Amino acid sequence: MPTSHILPAYVVEMVGVIRTTSKEVGTSSTPRDGENTSLEFELRPWVVAPEPSKADVEELRRQRVACGWYADRIPIWEQEIRNGTRYIWLIHVRTPTGLTEIAGMISLNLYDPTDPSLANFRAPGSLAGDRAEVSLIFIYPKYRGRGILGAASRRVEQKAAELGVTTATGNTMARSEKLRIYEGMGYQQYKPVEKIYDSQEMSALGFGEEHCYAAFIEKKIYPPRQYRL
């Protein structure tokens, strides 16, 4: 296992900036003639060596509190990054002034011991497979409906394919409007819906019992030379 000051090679090779341009979709207003509706953003890795910065930890916590999920799991994710089984990126968007603002986050999970059907790429020994989960996606409300979710997911899928992953997976609340988003990105359900969210926790977040069920989704991804954006 790597020490807290030495990252394994497969973590180092992921460090960098992924740039893309997201077309503004799903907005409530129609762009004016000649208006630039593109949005440039970068995926900046959440780095833990030698230690994550206080600002990055606070930003990650802020996002998890905002979405209502898993703020208490940040130390677990940090250890998974050190072990080489998870990557986390903060999504930065470029403003008209040339500065950047944080719009959200996204993660790639390479091993989920509680459900290897989601992620088994970095599973030990003979348990290793070809699946990785695009997870922990969160976009701040002001940046929703601008195509960031889909574009960022495609970039992370591409990075997974570069590692050798051939199946990207995910799970989301089993509601039709949620599933339609992912179906539009090429995902399909691969196993029955399961109740995985605690009823009391969901109630505290203002959600009903129907929000306690998750749909498990997957799609095939291809090496960079075959990848279709």
Side-chain angles (χ1 to χ4, degrees):
M1 181 179 298
T3 69
S4 60
H5 295 280
I6 302 176
L7 288 179
Y10 48 79
V11 174
V12 172
E13 71 182 22
M14 295 291 286
V15 174
V17 174
I18 308 170
R19 296 177 183 272
T20 189
T21 298
S22 166
K23 291 297 183 182
E24 195 169 11
V25 295
T27 55
S28 57
S29 59
T30 301
R32 295 183 296 272
D33 290 342
E35 182 180 7
N36 184 3
T37 61
S38 65
L39 183 68
E40 181 183 354
F41 69 89
E42 305 168 349
L43 303 186
R44 298 184 181 178
W46 197 72
V47 179
V48 300
E51 297 294 337
S53 71
K54 291 182 179 180
D56 277 358
V57 171
E58 180 55 33
E59 176 57 35
L60 204 60
R61 190 179 310 280
R62 184 182 300 114
Q63 293 196 35
R64 303 323 299 176
V65 170
C67 73
W69 295 98
Y70 304 145
D72 59 329
R73 297 190 184 182
I74 293 175
I76 297 174
W77 299 336
E78 180 181 338
Q79 189 58 52
E80 290 172 346
I81 293 173
R82 295 184 188 281
N83 293 343
T85 59
R86 182 180 294 278
Y87 307 118
I88 292 176
W89 293 270
L90 297 178
I91 304 171
H92 291 246
V93 298
R94 189 165 299 282
T95 67
T97 63
L99 302 176
T100 62
E101 296 179 351
I102 297 176
M105 67 175 289
I106 192 169
S107 177
L108 180 66
N109 181 16
L110 297 176
Y111 179 43
D112 185 346
T114 67
D115 186 353
S117 78
L118 282 170
N120 61 10
F121 188 72
R122 295 286 187 202
S126 62
L127 298 177
D130 62 358
R131 304 171 72 84
E133 180 190 15
V134 180
S135 63
L136 305 181
I137 303 172
F138 174 74
I139 307 295
Y140 281 120
K142 69 179 287 187
Y143 287 109
R144 292 174 188 170
R146 305 183 70 177
I148 294 177
L149 183 151
S153 295
R154 286 192 296 274
R155 291 305 186 204
V156 171
E157 291 164 8
Q158 185 174 8
K159 299 306 289 187
E162 291 173 1
L163 291 175
V165 174
T166 62
T167 302
T169 68
N171 76 81
T172 186
M173 290 182 184
R175 295 181 294 149
S176 59
E177 65 270 23
K178 286 282 188 180
L179 286 176
R180 280 197 295 270
I181 293 173
Y182 288 97
E183 288 171 351
M185 295 161 54
Y187 285 86
Q188 295 182 334
Q189 292 187 67
Y190 70 88
K191 69 176 183 176
V193 168
E194 294 181 20
K195 182 178 180 180
I196 67 170
Y197 306 115
D198 182 82
S199 299
Q200 291 186 340
E201 290 182 359
M202 296 303 290
S203 178
L205 292 171
F207 296 125
E209 182 70 16
E210 69 277 9
H211 292 79
C212 295
Y213 293 84
F216 298 84
I217 53 179
E218 66 178 7
K219 69 180 288 188
K220 288 296 181 182
I221 57 177
Y222 303 95
R225 64 181 179 277
Q226 303 176 29
Y227 205 83
R228 300 291 183 267
L229 291 181

